[in-house]
Amino acid sequence: MADNTRTTTAPVGVTPNEAGEEPLLSVRHLRKSYGDHEVLKDVSFDVHRGQVLVLLGPSGSGKSTLIRCLNGLETIQGGEIRFKGKVVPNNNERAWRALRTEIGMVFQSYDLFPNLTVAKNIELGPTKVQKRAKAEVDEQMDRLLRDVQLTEYKNAYPRELSGGQKQRIAIVRALAMNPELMLFDEVTASLDPEMVREVLELMLRLAKRHMTMIVVTHEMEFARRVADTVMFLENGVILERQSGDDFFTHPATDRARSFLDSMSPVGDE
């Protein structure tokens, strides 16, 4: 896992790696605005292979906007995104289309095609975009569906699935592309409470298998369990970056302490 030692010379969010290896993802001085409203202000950070980075912060802090910028779904007004050592041309849709086969993303709204079966939803990207053989894709799909205990729904349509099942299928669909980085944007936000656990358990299993992940969540106990590193944002600025253990036990800023207190269960002392 990535080293979490903080430095005073690098921008907040940027830390050296003990092995000296190049980050899988490197972001420098990223800026994003909607008109005159600056949503992300000079954001810099690295993500190394096998690391789980959790983005925390209050609503409106820029977390979801940031993660969408990392998949080319939002244009940026400045800064640099580098993936596997290569700079991604700013706001170049063609470049991002190619990168989306390596950077998977799962949204809170599932985004499954309602007119396609589970199998067809999963097969579409690997066979049409990556041009892989259907037999190879189907073998991988069967393995992934067994892993999430949804084999019996292979020929079902999304309308026949629960919210938790749809979200697990959305994750399987992303994994079938063999991404090197997975982005999760509040994937449990639209689920009923009893369906949240099955999705979070799947993400925990991915973390234990050293899948490189960036996760936006309001599930604090899950964040504590999964995070190698926590990056806390407010008003488009990284206020602090610490290891998961240190952030939840000894947050460095009063604002982070206040945030954690506000997310504690009612009556928790």
Side-chain angles (χ1 to χ4, degrees):
M1 297 297 180
D3 178 32
N4 296 308
T5 305
R6 302 185 73 183
T7 71
T8 56
T9 56
V12 175
V14 178
T15 60
N17 181 261
E18 282 183 345
E21 66 183 27
E22 186 174 58
L24 178 64
L25 176 74
S26 183
V27 176
R28 291 293 181 273
H29 309 296
L30 187 70
R31 293 187 297 105
K32 167 65 184 176
S33 300
Y34 296 109
D36 294 332
H37 177 49
E38 195 171 24
V39 181
L40 297 173
K41 308 168 186 177
D42 196 28
V43 170
S44 297
F45 64 97
D46 293 331
V47 179
H48 289 267
R49 293 181 188 275
Q51 181 183 11
V52 179
L53 172 65
V54 174
L55 305 181
L56 296 181
S59 296
S61 61
K63 306 182 301 297
S64 290
T65 299
L66 173 56
I67 209 170
R68 288 174 62 85
C69 289
L70 302 180
N71 204 32
L73 298 176
E74 295 283 353
T75 58
I76 62 174
Q77 279 65 56
E80 175 183 279
I81 298 174
R82 186 181 293 264
F83 185 70
K84 296 201 300 187
K86 296 182 179 180
V87 175
V88 185
N90 278 0
N91 307 322
N92 185 317
E93 178 58 26
R94 183 176 180 181
W96 277 114
R97 277 200 303 270
L99 272 182
R100 287 184 194 122
T101 66
E102 301 182 73
I103 303 176
M105 185 161 180
V106 183
F107 308 85
Q108 62 177 274
S109 56
Y110 325 130
D111 289 335
L112 299 175
F113 295 106
N115 60 320
L116 299 180
T117 64
V118 163
K120 293 296 184 184
N121 265 281
I122 297 169
E123 290 170 345
L124 192 61
T127 57
K128 299 299 185 183
V129 178
Q130 295 179 326
K131 308 300 183 184
R132 290 161 53 196
K134 185 175 181 298
E136 173 202 335
V137 173
D138 285 349
E139 181 180 352
Q140 180 186 22
M141 174 177 62
D142 289 342
R143 185 172 67 253
L144 289 169
L145 288 174
R146 284 196 302 271
D147 189 43
V148 299
Q149 300 179 332
L150 290 175
T151 300
E152 63 191 278
Y153 295 97
K154 180 177 177 178
N155 296 312
Y157 287 87
R159 64 178 178 274
E160 302 173 84
L161 307 179
S162 70
Q165 290 168 338
K166 290 177 185 176
Q167 197 58 286
R168 282 184 286 164
I169 293 299
I171 294 173
V172 165
R173 180 178 62 177
L175 292 175
M177 300 286 283
N178 297 319
E180 297 199 42
L181 171 65
M182 282 288 292
L183 310 175
F184 295 92
D185 185 17
E186 290 284 10
V187 296
T188 61
S190 60
L191 299 180
D192 293 335
E194 65 268 22
M195 297 177 183
V196 168
R197 183 183 180 91
E198 59 194 27
V199 175
L200 296 183
E201 286 180 343
L202 171 56
M203 293 171 66
L204 280 169
R205 291 202 300 275
L206 294 176
K208 290 177 181 177
R209 295 169 188 168
H210 306 294
M211 168 66 73
T212 311
M213 300 159 57
I214 302 178
V215 181
V216 175
T217 184
H218 280 111
E219 300 285 345
M220 291 300 104
E221 184 56 36
F222 167 72
R224 182 193 292 264
R225 293 178 63 189
V226 78
D228 296 310
T229 305
V230 170
M231 201 160 71
F232 182 76
L233 290 85
E234 185 172 51
N235 297 324
V237 174
I238 302 172
L239 292 188
E240 65 177 276
R241 179 188 190 275
Q242 295 206 66
S243 72
D245 287 341
D246 287 345
F247 179 82
F248 284 102
T249 56
H250 304 291
T253 62
D254 290 339
R255 183 63 187 94
R257 283 190 287 273
S258 173
F259 173 80
L260 290 175
D261 287 344
S262 74
M263 301 298 286
S264 297
V266 175
D268 189 28
E269 296 295 333

